[in-house]
Amino acid sequence: MSINRVVLSGHLTRDPDLRSTASGMQVLGFGVAVNDRRKNAQTGEWEDCPNFIDCTMFGARAQSLSNYLSKGAKVAVEGKLRWSQWERDGQKRSKIEVIVDDLEFMSSRGSAPVDAAPSMPDPAGYAPASPYDEDIPF
């Protein structure tokens, strides 16, 4: 059995590009920068090393999301890897991209995460206790 799933979070490297196929299928292309940390052999310091990942999303959701995505937005994407190859000017080229199944906005520019709900008290005045509030054996 093989599994082809990937989850990444990072910032969009460019504004998304919305186009459509000859049959009318919407195709959204964008790039996500994902940092990797490596130790510099000469200085001994840890450094961020960016990886630039091409992402593609299809369908009506791609069209809807294109209105809300822009360069610099922090997102999490989930999907599968797809490898493709082609020839240009006699040279073989290839790339790996993420075919996005799900996209989540991690934050809007200069504000708290979009999916974070404000904390509100329970209308009945009851807040469920955390298991860490009591001495409950686990």
Side-chain angles (χ1 to χ4, degrees), residues 4-8 28-30 32 34 53-58 77-83 95-102:
N4 182 2
R5 298 301 303 162
V6 62
V7 177
L8 302 170
L28 184 66
F30 55 94
V32 176
V34 179
I53 311 298
D54 288 331
C55 299
T56 304
M57 183 179 243
F58 297 94
V77 296
E78 181 179 350
K80 60 187 172 213
L81 296 176
R82 180 175 69 183
W83 179 74
K95 74 173 181 176
I96 294 180
E97 66 183 323
V98 175
I99 303 302
V100 178
D101 295 325
D102 194 21

Side-chain angles (χ1 to χ4, degrees), residues 116-130:
S119 136
M120 299 193 53
D122 185 65
Y126 172 78
S130 164

Side-chain angles (χ1 to χ4, degrees), residues 60-98:
R61 189 155 183 233
Q63 182 176 9
S64 298
L65 286 173
S66 70
N67 297 322
Y68 301 101
L69 295 172
S70 61
K71 181 179 178 177
K74 185 165 186 176
V75 297
V77 296
E78 181 179 350
K80 60 187 172 213
L81 296 176
R82 180 175 69 183
W83 179 74
S84 57
Q85 67 179 0
W86 66 97
E87 194 170 316
R88 182 186 296 163
D89 300 327
Q91 291 190 346
K92 288 187 177 183
R93 299 185 181 267
S94 65
K95 74 173 181 176
I96 294 180
E97 66 183 323
V98 175

